[in-house]
Amino acid sequence: MGLFSKKEPQAPPPDPAYILAEAQEYLKEKDFKGALEKFDELCALPVQSPLPLLSRATCRLQLSQYEGVLEDCNKVLKFLNSDLTGHEEEGCTTVHSLALLRMAKAYKELGRLDEAKSALMRRNVVEHKLGRTTNDEGEDENVEEKQKAAEEWKEKGNKEFKNENWSAALDCYRNGLSYDMYSVKLHSNACMALINLKRWAQALKHAEQCIALEPNWVKGYYMKGRILSNESKLEQAQQVLQKAAQMEPRNKQIKGLLEEVNSRVEYVESRLRRRKPKEQQEKTAEDSGTEQAVEDVDSDEDYCQDGTCSPKTVKVRVTRKDIMNIIVDLCAAMVGVAMVWWFVRQEA
């Protein structure tokens, strides 16, 4: 064999445009399985666009492959957001908003309703910030003016908060939310004001809104854990704070609160462990009665050993029923004595 042997000719790389055209033909025929195979080929190539992933997520949604939908949509969200020119669907005008809508549907089918709600809310935020939401009359909202008003109310609230005027601060934050209901900062600040006012139920709603709007923002989980801890819902608080600690392992506030909650959970569990044997013992005594040792001093038979005699000790079975009967007899006797005394007084 020569030093310079001929190499086998390599097949040309697949043409993405050709694969996409084939996938679209399958979609026209509603053959989602065939389209999925083509989108798999596209996504196996060096991906420069989120659209193949978004299209594959659409096929997977139709085929009930919900975990795959979530995987593809999360990849889409890592791309820069861009408009869906000519591909608007269900009020979605951008790649991110459509991906979040797909995620919401997948979460709903998986029974993860809280995450479905969060994805849908995040989709609304994307459209809202771009000024593409409409009011009841169908006219475009003046988003910039509303966001400016919301920011002004937030600044007023922050001044009141620094002066520890919690109620006044809360009113300002709520006024701001009336202009921008999707503002995470306003929900967070309102939550902190309510925490200081010890209005836990209302504070919890704002904390959950923060988590729904920004699932990767650790403060929402910290506030929720703090509220649940103050409501003595320790197991729920523990779960939320553990998730927060995973997100930010070095956060001292989260670490300190989690340690406090863990200590309280351990204390409650230890109390329950001590109480359970005691309750079981009382139940057993109630069911079977109790045996008590008493001295039979009226007995003629004494126990004698080594020249010394002592009264015989016997085991007498005394139940709760016996005790109750004795109490009833004593009460009846006392009533009888009282009646005799009353008749004697009357004759006298």
Side-chain angles (χ1 to χ4, degrees):
M1 186 171 59
L3 292 174
F4 302 100
S5 58
K6 293 183 179 180
K7 294 182 178 179
E8 292 292 331
Q10 295 182 352
D15 185 359
Y18 180 75
I19 298 172
L20 180 61
E22 287 185 313
Q24 289 173 344
E25 288 297 322
Y26 281 119
L27 288 175
K28 286 179 183 178
E29 298 173 4
K30 295 187 177 180
D31 183 357
F32 297 105
K33 189 174 181 181
L36 179 60
E37 291 178 359
K38 294 302 175 182
F39 285 122
D40 282 339
E41 290 183 39
L42 275 176
C43 293
L45 300 174
V47 179
Q48 302 295 331
S49 167
L51 293 178
L53 290 165
L54 193 56
S55 299
R56 186 169 71 174
T58 303
C59 292
R60 285 177 162 177
L61 190 63
Q62 295 293 331
L63 295 169
S64 303
Q65 298 178 10
Y66 302 120
E67 292 292 348
V69 175
L70 298 177
E71 181 183 349
D72 283 339
C73 289
N74 276 315
K75 290 179 180 178
V76 170
L77 295 176
K78 293 179 181 179
F79 285 85
L80 290 175
N81 199 14
S82 58
D83 288 343
L84 283 170
T85 307
H87 298 279
E88 291 84 358
E89 182 179 343
E90 300 179 56
C92 298
T93 63
T94 71
V95 171
H96 282 188
S97 58
L98 185 55
L100 288 164
L101 183 63
R102 294 280 181 268
M103 291 178 74
K105 291 181 178 179
Y107 279 130
K108 182 179 179 182
E109 294 297 332
L110 290 169
R112 294 157 66 175
L113 300 183
D114 288 341
E115 289 167 292
K117 181 181 176 182
S118 173
L120 199 57
M121 190 174 295
R122 289 166 65 195
R123 174 257 170 205
N124 292 340
V125 171
V126 172
E127 295 293 329
H128 177 75
K129 287 183 177 179
L130 293 171
R132 295 173 182 174
T133 53
T134 57
N135 57 20
D136 294 337
E137 297 177 356
E139 299 176 354
D140 292 339
E141 296 177 347
N142 194 333
V143 177
E144 289 185 4
E145 288 186 8
K146 288 180 177 291
Q147 289 180 344
K148 184 178 179 181
E151 186 66 23
E152 289 175 356
W153 279 112
K154 188 186 80 172
E155 293 302 322
K156 291 179 182 178
N158 289 347
K159 290 179 182 178
E160 298 291 349
F161 193 94
K162 287 179 181 178
N163 294 325
E164 299 186 1
N165 297 326
W166 316 125
S167 295
L170 178 61
D171 290 338
C172 292
Y173 297 139
R174 284 179 169 171
N175 286 334
L177 285 168
S178 68
Y179 288 99
D180 187 2
M181 63 181 293
Y182 298 117
S183 171
V184 181
K185 296 293 185 182
L186 282 169
H187 280 293
S188 171
N189 292 355
C191 180
M192 292 304 299
L194 287 162
I195 287 174
N196 283 290
L197 291 168
K198 294 182 170 46
R199 289 157 63 175
W200 310 119
Q202 295 177 44
L204 183 61
K205 291 180 181 179
H206 285 285
E208 289 175 341
Q209 285 288 88
C210 290
I211 294 172
L213 290 168
E214 292 288 345
N216 296 322
W217 192 38
V218 74
K219 188 174 180 181
Y221 298 94
Y222 169 76
M223 292 187 299
K224 184 176 181 179
R226 182 174 171 183
I227 293 162
L228 291 171
S229 173
N230 280 288
E231 289 187 308
S232 295
K233 297 177 180 178
L234 299 179
E235 291 184 358
Q236 295 178 44
Q238 194 176 43
Q239 293 174 0
V240 173
L241 291 169
Q242 283 172 350
K243 185 169 184 178
Q246 290 174 357
M247 295 169 69
E248 287 192 13
R250 296 182 180 180
N251 190 307
K252 293 182 180 180
Q253 280 186 309
I254 294 171
K255 187 177 179 181
L257 183 57
L258 180 57
E259 289 176 354
E260 178 188 330
V261 170
N262 286 339
S263 298
R264 291 173 64 189
V265 169
E266 187 178 346
Y267 173 75
V268 171
E269 288 177 349
S270 65
R271 289 288 300 272
L272 290 174
R273 284 195 296 269
R274 288 199 299 269
R275 187 184 301 173
K276 191 172 181 180
K278 184 178 180 181
E279 290 177 351
Q280 186 64 33
Q281 185 179 2
E282 290 177 353
K283 188 176 184 302
T284 304
E286 183 176 354
D287 293 339
S288 61
T290 57
E291 290 185 352
Q292 297 180 354
V294 297
E295 289 187 347
D296 186 10
V297 293
D298 294 329
S299 175
D300 292 332
E301 299 179 5
D302 292 334
Y303 177 72
C304 300
Q305 186 176 8
D306 298 331
T308 59
C309 296
S310 61
K312 181 181 178 182
T313 301
V314 296
K315 295 285 185 179
V316 179
R317 187 180 180 82
V318 181
T319 65
R320 289 180 181 271
K321 187 176 180 181
D322 295 331
I323 295 172
M324 291 301 297
N325 289 336
I326 293 170
I327 293 172
V328 170
D329 292 340
L330 288 172
C331 291
M334 291 174 67
V335 170
V337 171
M339 291 181 66
V340 170
W341 177 80
W342 185 77
F343 279 118
V344 170
R345 288 285 303 273
Q346 289 294 323
E347 290 182 1

